[in-house]
Protein backbone atom coordinates (compact mmCIF):
# COMPACT_ATOMS: atom_id res chain seq x y z
CA UNK A 1 0.00 0.00 0.00
CA UNK A 2 1.37 3.42 -0.94
CA UNK A 3 1.46 6.00 1.82
CA UNK A 4 2.64 9.43 2.88
CA UNK A 5 5.66 8.94 5.11
CA UNK A 6 6.58 12.51 6.10
CA UNK A 7 5.34 16.09 5.81
CA UNK A 8 7.44 19.25 5.93
CA UNK A 9 6.47 22.91 6.02
CA UNK A 10 9.24 25.38 5.20
CA UNK A 11 9.36 29.09 4.41
CA UNK A 12 11.28 30.28 1.37
CA UNK A 13 13.13 33.44 0.41
CA UNK A 14 15.52 34.11 -2.46
CA UNK A 15 17.11 36.74 -0.22
CA UNK A 16 18.53 33.81 1.75
CA UNK A 17 20.61 33.03 -1.34
CA UNK A 18 21.48 36.57 -2.41
CA UNK A 19 21.69 38.54 0.84
CA UNK A 20 23.23 36.16 3.38
CA UNK A 21 26.27 38.40 3.75
CA UNK A 22 24.03 41.34 4.68
CA UNK A 23 22.20 39.55 7.49
CA UNK A 24 22.38 41.23 10.88
CA UNK A 25 20.17 38.70 12.70
CA UNK A 26 22.72 35.94 12.16
CA UNK A 27 21.41 33.76 15.00
CA UNK A 28 17.97 33.65 13.41
CA UNK A 29 19.37 33.01 9.94
CA UNK A 30 21.51 30.14 11.18
CA UNK A 31 18.61 28.75 13.21
CA UNK A 32 16.41 28.65 10.12
CA UNK A 33 19.17 27.12 7.99
CA UNK A 34 19.74 24.46 10.63
CA UNK A 35 16.00 23.76 10.71
CA UNK A 36 16.03 23.19 6.97
CA UNK A 37 18.92 20.77 7.40
CA UNK A 38 17.03 18.89 10.12
CA UNK A 39 13.98 18.68 7.86
CA UNK A 40 16.18 17.39 5.05
CA UNK A 41 17.57 14.67 7.33
CA UNK A 42 14.04 13.67 8.38
CA UNK A 43 13.01 13.36 4.73
CA UNK A 44 16.11 11.28 4.01
CA UNK A 45 15.30 8.98 6.93
CA UNK A 46 11.75 8.50 5.61
CA UNK A 47 13.17 7.17 2.29
CA UNK A 48 10.52 8.61 -0.04
CA UNK A 49 10.22 7.39 -3.61
CA UNK A 50 8.72 10.71 -4.67
CA UNK A 51 8.11 14.15 -3.13
CA UNK A 52 4.99 16.20 -3.79
CA UNK A 53 6.03 19.84 -3.41
CA UNK A 54 3.08 22.09 -2.64
CA UNK A 55 4.12 25.63 -3.38
CA UNK A 56 3.35 28.95 -4.98
CA UNK A 57 4.57 30.63 -8.15
CA UNK A 58 5.77 34.22 -8.18
CA UNK A 59 4.81 35.01 -11.77
CA UNK A 60 7.70 33.18 -13.39
CA UNK A 61 5.72 30.16 -14.51
CA UNK A 62 2.19 31.54 -14.38
CA UNK A 63 0.92 34.90 -15.58
CA UNK A 64 -2.34 36.74 -15.51
CA UNK A 65 -3.27 35.35 -18.91
CA UNK A 66 -4.00 32.02 -17.16
CA UNK A 67 -3.79 31.12 -13.46
CA UNK A 68 -5.69 28.05 -12.25
CA UNK A 69 -6.40 27.58 -8.54
CA UNK A 70 -4.44 24.31 -8.42
CA UNK A 71 -1.99 22.97 -11.02
CA UNK A 72 -0.16 19.65 -11.07
CA UNK A 73 3.03 19.19 -13.10
CA UNK A 74 2.54 15.88 -14.89
CA UNK A 75 5.42 16.01 -17.38
CA UNK A 76 8.54 18.11 -17.80
CA UNK A 77 9.37 20.40 -14.87
CA UNK A 78 11.77 23.30 -15.33
CA UNK A 79 13.30 25.45 -12.61
CA UNK A 80 13.39 29.17 -13.46
CA UNK A 81 16.75 29.49 -11.72
CA UNK A 82 16.26 32.97 -10.30
CA UNK A 83 18.55 34.13 -7.50
CA UNK A 84 20.66 31.00 -7.35
CA UNK A 85 17.81 28.50 -7.13
CA UNK A 86 17.81 25.28 -9.19
CA UNK A 87 17.54 25.92 -12.92
CA UNK A 88 16.46 23.74 -15.79
CA UNK A 89 14.96 20.24 -15.90
CA UNK A 90 14.16 18.63 -12.56
CA UNK A 91 13.86 14.90 -11.91
CA UNK A 92 10.19 13.90 -12.04
CA UNK A 93 7.79 10.94 -11.94
CA UNK A 94 5.20 11.66 -14.66
CA UNK A 95 3.50 8.30 -14.05
CA UNK A 96 2.89 9.14 -10.40
CA UNK A 97 1.92 12.73 -11.22
CA UNK A 98 -0.67 11.65 -13.78
CA UNK A 99 -2.12 9.07 -11.38
CA UNK A 100 -2.37 11.72 -8.68
CA UNK A 101 -4.14 14.09 -11.08
CA UNK A 102 -6.68 11.47 -12.06
CA UNK A 103 -7.26 10.45 -8.44
CA UNK A 104 -7.73 14.03 -7.28
CA UNK A 105 -10.30 14.72 -9.98
CA UNK A 106 -12.13 11.50 -9.13
CA UNK A 107 -12.30 12.64 -5.50
CA UNK A 108 -13.65 16.08 -6.29
CA UNK A 109 -10.60 18.33 -6.60
CA UNK A 110 -10.24 19.50 -10.18
CA UNK A 111 -6.59 20.30 -10.84
CA UNK A 112 -5.18 21.85 -13.98
CA UNK A 113 -2.43 19.88 -15.69
CA UNK A 114 0.86 21.05 -17.11
CA UNK A 115 3.07 18.81 -19.24
CA UNK A 116 5.79 21.49 -19.25
CA UNK A 117 5.67 23.37 -15.97
CA UNK A 118 8.09 26.14 -15.05
CA UNK A 119 8.49 26.50 -11.30
CA UNK A 120 10.31 29.19 -9.36
CA UNK A 121 11.62 29.52 -5.81
CA UNK A 122 8.10 28.86 -4.53
CA UNK A 123 9.07 25.22 -5.14
CA UNK A 124 12.76 25.13 -6.09
CA UNK A 125 13.80 26.58 -2.72
CA UNK A 126 12.48 23.34 -1.20
CA UNK A 127 14.33 21.27 -3.80
CA UNK A 128 17.51 23.22 -3.04
CA UNK A 129 17.37 22.83 0.74
CA UNK A 130 14.85 20.23 1.91
CA UNK A 131 15.81 17.74 -0.82
CA UNK A 132 19.48 18.71 -0.93
CA UNK A 133 21.61 15.83 -2.26
CA UNK A 134 18.62 13.49 -2.19
CA UNK A 135 17.90 11.78 -5.50
CA UNK A 136 14.13 12.05 -5.08
CA UNK A 137 11.88 12.88 -8.05
CA UNK A 138 9.36 15.65 -7.54
CA UNK A 139 5.72 16.26 -8.40
CA UNK A 140 4.95 20.00 -8.18
CA UNK A 141 1.51 21.06 -6.99
CA UNK A 142 1.12 24.81 -7.48
CA UNK A 143 -1.47 26.74 -5.46
CA UNK A 144 -2.52 30.20 -6.62
CA UNK A 145 -1.83 32.52 -3.70
CA UNK A 146 -1.23 35.83 -5.48
CA UNK A 147 -3.84 36.47 -8.18
CA UNK A 148 -7.23 37.20 -6.62
CA UNK A 149 -9.65 35.58 -6.28
CA UNK A 150 -7.71 32.91 -4.39
CA UNK A 151 -8.92 29.38 -3.67
CA UNK A 152 -10.79 29.14 -0.38
CA UNK A 153 -8.81 27.72 2.51
CA UNK A 154 -11.33 24.95 3.09
CA UNK A 155 -10.81 23.88 -0.55
CA UNK A 156 -7.07 23.67 0.18
CA UNK A 157 -7.83 21.42 3.14
CA UNK A 158 -10.04 19.27 0.91
CA UNK A 159 -7.20 19.09 -1.61
CA UNK A 160 -4.85 17.79 1.09
CA UNK A 161 -7.30 15.16 2.27
CA UNK A 162 -8.00 14.04 -1.29
CA UNK A 163 -4.26 13.88 -1.92
CA UNK A 164 -3.87 11.49 1.03
CA UNK A 165 -6.68 9.26 -0.24
CA UNK A 166 -5.25 9.30 -3.76
CA UNK A 167 -1.77 8.34 -2.54
CA UNK A 168 -3.24 5.46 -0.56
CA UNK A 169 -4.90 4.16 -3.73
CA UNK A 170 -1.72 4.24 -5.84
CA UNK A 171 -0.52 0.81 -6.95
CA UNK A 172 2.55 -0.67 -5.40
CA UNK A 173 4.21 0.43 -2.20
CA UNK A 174 5.26 3.99 -2.92
CA UNK A 175 6.59 6.13 -0.10
CA UNK A 176 5.58 9.77 -0.58
CA UNK A 177 6.85 12.94 1.08
CA UNK A 178 4.68 16.06 1.04
CA UNK A 179 6.60 19.32 1.32
CA UNK A 180 4.85 22.68 1.73
CA UNK A 181 6.85 25.73 0.67
CA UNK A 182 5.85 29.26 1.65
CA UNK A 183 4.92 31.61 4.45
CA UNK A 184 5.01 32.45 7.19
CA UNK A 185 3.91 36.03 7.74
CA UNK A 186 5.25 38.69 5.39
CA UNK A 187 4.08 41.57 3.29
CA UNK A 188 5.32 41.82 -0.26
CA UNK A 189 5.44 45.22 -2.00
CA UNK A 190 2.82 43.92 -4.42
CA UNK A 191 -0.76 44.99 -5.00
CA UNK A 192 -3.07 42.91 -2.83
CA UNK A 193 -5.43 42.87 -5.80
CA UNK A 194 -3.88 43.00 -9.28
CA UNK A 195 -6.99 44.78 -10.55
CA UNK A 196 -6.29 47.82 -8.36
CA UNK A 197 -2.58 48.77 -8.40
CA UNK A 198 -1.44 51.90 -6.57
CA UNK A 199 1.60 53.80 -7.77
CA UNK A 200 4.22 53.20 -10.45
CA UNK A 201 5.81 50.16 -8.81
CA UNK A 202 2.54 48.28 -8.46
CA UNK A 203 1.53 49.21 -12.00
CA UNK A 204 4.88 47.89 -13.24
CA UNK A 205 4.39 44.63 -11.36
CA UNK A 206 0.93 44.08 -12.81
CA UNK A 207 2.36 44.73 -16.27
CA UNK A 208 5.07 42.13 -15.61
CA UNK A 209 2.49 39.61 -14.36
CA UNK A 210 0.38 40.11 -17.45
CA UNK A 211 3.11 40.18 -20.11
CA UNK A 212 5.87 38.06 -18.62
CA UNK A 213 5.20 34.80 -20.43
CA UNK A 214 8.40 33.97 -22.30
CA UNK A 215 9.96 37.25 -21.19
CA UNK A 216 9.91 37.26 -17.37
CA UNK A 217 13.65 37.88 -17.06
CA UNK A 218 13.35 41.29 -18.73
CA UNK A 219 11.19 42.40 -15.80
CA UNK A 220 13.20 40.70 -13.08
CA UNK A 221 15.80 43.40 -12.39
CA UNK A 222 13.29 46.04 -11.38
CA UNK A 223 11.20 43.43 -9.57
CA UNK A 224 14.21 42.60 -7.42
CA UNK A 225 14.82 46.28 -6.71
CA UNK A 226 11.24 46.75 -5.59
CA UNK A 227 11.42 43.75 -3.28
CA UNK A 228 14.81 44.49 -1.72
CA UNK A 229 13.73 48.09 -1.03
CA UNK A 230 10.57 47.00 0.78
CA UNK A 231 9.99 47.63 4.47
CA UNK A 232 9.66 44.35 6.38
CA UNK A 233 6.30 43.63 7.99
CA UNK A 234 6.41 40.43 10.04
CA UNK A 235 3.72 39.26 12.48
CA UNK A 236 5.85 37.04 14.68
CA UNK A 237 3.01 36.65 17.20
CA UNK A 238 0.82 35.13 14.51
CA UNK A 239 3.66 32.91 13.32
CA UNK A 240 4.26 31.57 16.82
CA UNK A 241 0.54 30.83 17.23
CA UNK A 242 0.35 29.12 13.83
CA UNK A 243 3.32 26.88 14.63
CA UNK A 244 1.84 26.08 18.05
CA UNK A 245 -1.40 25.05 16.33
CA UNK A 246 0.64 22.81 14.01
CA UNK A 247 2.29 21.16 17.00
CA UNK A 248 -1.13 20.51 18.54
CA UNK A 249 -2.53 19.17 15.27
CA UNK A 250 -4.99 22.07 15.19
CA UNK A 251 -4.33 23.68 11.79
CA UNK A 252 -7.76 22.56 10.54
CA UNK A 253 -9.26 25.56 12.33
CA UNK A 254 -7.82 27.87 9.65
CA UNK A 255 -10.12 26.27 7.08
CA UNK A 256 -12.81 28.75 8.14
CA UNK A 257 -10.59 31.78 7.47
CA UNK A 258 -11.04 34.02 4.46
CA UNK A 259 -8.31 35.60 2.35
CA UNK A 260 -9.03 38.88 4.14
CA UNK A 261 -8.51 37.16 7.51
CA UNK A 262 -5.13 35.83 6.37
CA UNK A 263 -3.96 39.16 5.02
CA UNK A 264 -4.97 41.00 8.19
CA UNK A 265 -3.15 38.50 10.40
CA UNK A 266 -0.13 37.58 8.27
CA UNK A 267 0.15 40.00 5.33
CA UNK A 268 -0.40 39.35 1.66
CA UNK A 269 2.56 36.95 1.60
CA UNK A 270 0.83 34.99 4.35
CA UNK A 271 -1.58 33.71 1.70
CA UNK A 272 1.11 31.08 1.06
CA UNK A 273 -0.03 29.39 4.28
CA UNK A 274 -2.50 27.56 2.03
CA UNK A 275 0.38 25.26 1.10
CA UNK A 276 0.91 24.33 4.76
CA UNK A 277 -2.79 23.54 5.12
CA UNK A 278 -2.64 21.23 2.10
CA UNK A 279 0.34 19.42 3.59
CA UNK A 280 -1.09 19.19 7.10
CA UNK A 281 -4.43 17.91 5.78
CA UNK A 282 -2.59 15.28 3.74
CA UNK A 283 -0.97 14.15 6.99
CA UNK A 284 -4.37 13.96 8.68
CA UNK A 285 -3.61 17.02 10.82
CA UNK A 286 -1.40 14.85 13.00
CA UNK A 287 0.48 16.79 15.70
CA UNK A 288 3.78 18.06 14.37
CA UNK A 289 7.06 19.45 15.58
CA UNK A 290 8.50 22.92 15.09
CA UNK A 291 12.12 22.73 13.97
CA UNK A 292 12.93 26.44 13.73
CA UNK A 293 11.48 29.91 13.63
CA UNK A 294 13.11 33.27 13.11
CA UNK A 295 11.61 36.63 12.22
CA UNK A 296 14.02 37.78 9.51
CA UNK A 297 13.52 41.41 8.47
CA UNK A 298 16.45 41.09 6.04
CA UNK A 299 14.42 38.45 4.21
CA UNK A 300 11.09 40.26 4.78
CA UNK A 301 9.61 37.08 6.23
CA UNK A 302 8.85 35.08 9.34
CA UNK A 303 10.90 32.00 8.50
CA UNK A 304 9.60 28.73 9.89
CA UNK A 305 10.32 25.01 9.46
CA UNK A 306 8.14 22.24 10.84
CA UNK A 307 7.81 18.49 10.53
CA UNK A 308 4.77 16.21 10.65
CA UNK A 309 5.30 12.47 10.83
CA UNK A 310 2.35 10.07 10.43
Amino acid sequence: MSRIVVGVGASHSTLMNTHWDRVEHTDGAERFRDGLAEARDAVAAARPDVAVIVGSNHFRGFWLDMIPAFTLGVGEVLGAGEAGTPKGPQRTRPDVAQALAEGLVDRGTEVALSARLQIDHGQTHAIQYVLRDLDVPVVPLVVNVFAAPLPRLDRCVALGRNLADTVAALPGDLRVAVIASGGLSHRLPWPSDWRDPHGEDEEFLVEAWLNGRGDWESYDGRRRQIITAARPVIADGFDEAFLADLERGDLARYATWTSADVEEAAGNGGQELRTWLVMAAALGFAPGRRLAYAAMPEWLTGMGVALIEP
Side-chain angles (χ1 to χ4, degrees):
M1 177 181 174
S2 297
R3 59 197 175 100
I4 296 173
V5 293
V6 67
V8 173
S11 303
H12 59 240
S13 173
T14 57
L15 298 175
M16 179 176 173
N17 289 354
T18 61
H19 286 62
W20 187 274
D21 59 345
R22 304 183 200 178
V23 167
E24 296 181 7
H25 299 77
T26 53
D27 289 347
E30 291 171 356
R31 187 161 61 249
F32 176 70
R33 181 186 59 192
D34 292 346
L36 288 177
E38 187 175 351
R40 180 262 177 212
D41 291 345
V43 172
R47 298 178 292 107
D49 299 300
V50 63
V52 177
I53 302 183
V54 189
S56 57
N57 190 285
H58 305 74
F59 297 99
R60 293 185 180 90
F62 290 85
W63 289 269
L64 291 176
D65 59 1
M66 179 64 71
I67 299 187
F70 308 121
T71 304
L72 203 63
V74 298
E76 186 178 16
V77 174
L78 304 170
E82 80 282 7
T85 53
K87 183 175 183 178
Q90 305 299 305
R91 187 182 172 206
T92 60
R93 281 289 303 265
D95 58 330
V96 174
Q98 187 66 42
L100 290 176
E102 293 172 3
L104 286 169
V105 170
D106 286 345
R107 288 166 176 80
T109 298
E110 290 78 13
V111 291
L113 308 182
S114 175
R116 183 177 293 120
L117 179 64
Q118 180 161 291
I119 57 176
D120 66 7
H121 69 275
Q123 312 223 337
T124 54
H125 197 274
I127 294 173
Q128 184 174 20
Y129 292 102
V130 181
L131 297 179
R132 178 177 50 83
D133 298 328
L134 301 180
D135 191 22
V136 178
V138 299
V139 174
L141 178 55
V142 183
V143 180
N144 170 30
V145 300
F146 293 127
L150 308 181
R152 294 192 331 234
L153 278 77
D154 62 332
R155 293 296 295 161
C156 295
V157 168
L159 167 59
R161 287 173 170 152
N162 288 339
L163 177 62
D165 291 342
T166 300
V167 167
L170 291 176
D173 190 25
L174 284 175
R175 300 172 64 84
V176 178
V178 180
I179 302 171
S181 182
L184 297 171
S185 71
H186 59 295
R187 180 167 293 283
L188 296 167
W190 292 5
S192 295
D193 189 328
W194 60 272
R195 296 162 296 189
D196 186 29
H198 296 278
E200 291 184 0
D201 284 347
E202 291 193 0
E203 290 173 357
F204 167 81
L205 289 169
V206 171
E207 177 188 347
W209 300 349
L210 181 61
N211 300 316
R213 187 174 299 279
D215 193 32
W216 67 267
E217 289 174 294
S218 69
Y219 294 95
D220 217 44
R222 183 172 172 187
R223 276 183 45 151
R224 297 288 296 175
Q225 292 175 351
I226 292 170
I227 290 172
T228 55
R231 180 177 66 88
V233 180
I234 300 172
D236 51 344
F238 168 83
D239 294 340
E240 295 282 1
F242 185 85
L243 291 171
D245 286 332
L246 180 143
E247 291 189 305
R248 289 191 294 266
D250 198 26
L251 287 187
R253 76 181 191 85
Y254 294 91
T256 63
W257 282 35
T258 66
S259 294
D261 293 332
V262 175
E263 178 155 359
E264 181 178 358
N268 58 359
Q271 304 292 357
E272 290 179 326
L273 292 171
R274 285 168 169 77
T275 67
W276 289 59
L277 293 186
V278 173
M279 179 275 295
L283 273 292
F285 290 110
R289 179 160 55 96
R290 180 171 95 166
L291 302 182
Y293 176 73
M296 291 298 299
E298 298 93 333
W299 301 341
L300 304 180
T301 305
M303 308 292 290
V305 189
L307 181 70
I308 301 179
E309 296 171 301

